[in-house]
Amino acid sequence: MNDELGSRLSALGSHRYDELITRTTHAVLESEGETRPELRWAIFHRRMADVPTDLRVYVDKVSQHAYRVTDEDIDGLVRAGYSEDAIFEITGAAALGAAITRLERGLIALHESER
């Protein structure tokens, strides 16, 4: 996990799962794979300008409405030239980014409610 993410979560009082979040984030985003770690980090942070155009709708769908992902979405990515392993990595990066964002929002809400 990059230092910025760890600092943000720690600042919000999230120390209980720091190590687990760090290990999971590193495994998903930085391990060897079909896709470059830089792409996975861009997807994780939803820096869409750094995400190939043909992935943007899919990344947005996974991040915002994962329950709407269909076989047709996956088939479209395969037709665009992405391997199943690459699609798995892209999906994992988008889902993890959405999960961490939601965790941060929840921690912010808890932190603000304690004021």
Side-chain angles (χ1 to χ4, degrees):
M1 177 163 60
N2 65 17
D3 290 335
E4 177 188 339
L5 177 60
S7 296
R8 286 195 325 253
L9 291 175
S10 291
L12 293 170
S14 174
H15 303 289
R16 184 174 182 185
Y17 300 107
D18 283 352
E19 183 181 341
L20 180 59
I21 291 169
T22 298
R23 287 192 343 242
T24 302
T25 303
H26 279 291
V28 171
L29 302 179
E30 296 177 354
S31 62
E32 199 170 310
E34 292 287 314
T35 58
R36 295 179 335 278
E38 297 82 18
L39 173 61
R40 284 179 263 159
W41 275 106
I43 290 168
F44 174 86
H45 287 293
R46 295 191 71 219
R47 291 190 313 257
M48 296 308 233
D50 297 331
V51 174
T53 305
D54 57 355
L55 289 176
R56 291 178 186 169
V57 170
Y58 179 74
V59 167
D60 187 60
K61 188 181 275 192
V62 170
S63 297
Q64 300 299 312
H65 309 286
Y67 65 94
R68 293 184 182 168
V69 173
T70 65
D71 290 342
E72 290 79 25
D73 294 316
I74 305 303
D75 292 342
L77 292 176
V78 169
R79 282 192 303 277
Y82 293 94
S83 70
E84 288 184 3
D85 287 342
I87 295 167
F88 180 79
E89 294 166 12
I90 291 162
T91 303
L96 182 62
I100 297 294
T101 297
R102 289 180 178 98
L103 173 63
E104 287 179 330
R105 288 178 184 163
L107 290 170
I108 288 168
L110 285 173
H111 184 71
E112 289 177 355
S113 72
E114 294 173 353
R115 290 182 182 180

